[in-house]
Amino acid sequence: MNFYRICIVSTLFLFCTCFCTSIWAELAPLPGGPQLQDCSKALDPTRCKARIEARKACGDKRGDTKRACMATYLVAPDCSHAAQPKRCIAQKKAEQACQGKPSKQVKACLRSHRTT
């Protein structure tokens, strides 16, 4: 009698685990952040469209190759729409100063240009 109970409970547990996992997979967000497809709702629609194009074109690349590919497609942000325009302008200047460096050097360069 105990053997049958264990079998039934184990089967139910396995079924519930598989079922709940499949539901969770459908509800969970995709990795890489939110994927905005409707650029009319974005603060900067032209940049949004360029980002979608860049993600499609550079999706199979990794590391410095991907960064270089994304840089060819992306448009500089319009700082007039930014919540903090001064910070946006400072970030643009820092990115221009650090352009063309390998990934680890880019991070260090951006940190050195960071203003709070």
Side-chain angles (χ1 to χ4, degrees), residues 56-95:
K56 287 178 184 174
C58 306
D60 59 337
K61 296 177 172 73
R62 298 284 177 254
D64 291 334
T65 312
K66 184 171 185 170
R67 179 176 284 110
C69 180
M70 294 286 284
T72 59
Y73 282 90
L74 292 184
V75 178
D78 182 8
C79 292
S80 64
H81 295 295
Q84 298 176 346
K86 290 181 183 177
R87 187 174 179 184
C88 177
I89 292 168
Q91 180 69 23
K92 278 174 72 172
K93 288 180 183 176
E95 287 173 359

Side-chain angles (χ1 to χ4, degrees), residues 34-112:
Q35 304 286 326
L36 184 63
Q37 296 297 328
D38 184 13
C39 291
S40 65
K41 298 176 184 176
L43 289 176
D44 195 350
T46 56
R47 186 171 177 159
C48 174
K49 290 175 186 172
R51 179 167 287 172
I52 290 172
E53 269 185 46
R55 283 183 179 164
K56 287 178 184 174
C58 306
D60 59 337
K61 296 177 172 73
R62 298 284 177 254
D64 291 334
T65 312
K66 184 171 185 170
R67 179 176 284 110
C69 180
M70 294 286 284
T72 59
Y73 282 90
L74 292 184
V75 178
D78 182 8
C79 292
S80 64
H81 295 295
Q84 298 176 346
K86 290 181 183 177
R87 187 174 179 184
C88 177
I89 292 168
Q91 180 69 23
K92 278 174 72 172
K93 288 180 183 176
E95 287 173 359
Q96 288 174 351
C98 301
Q99 192 173 14
K101 296 184 179 182
S103 60
K104 290 182 181 178
Q105 291 177 1
V106 168
K107 291 176 185 177
C109 180
L110 289 173
R111 267 189 237 112
S112 69

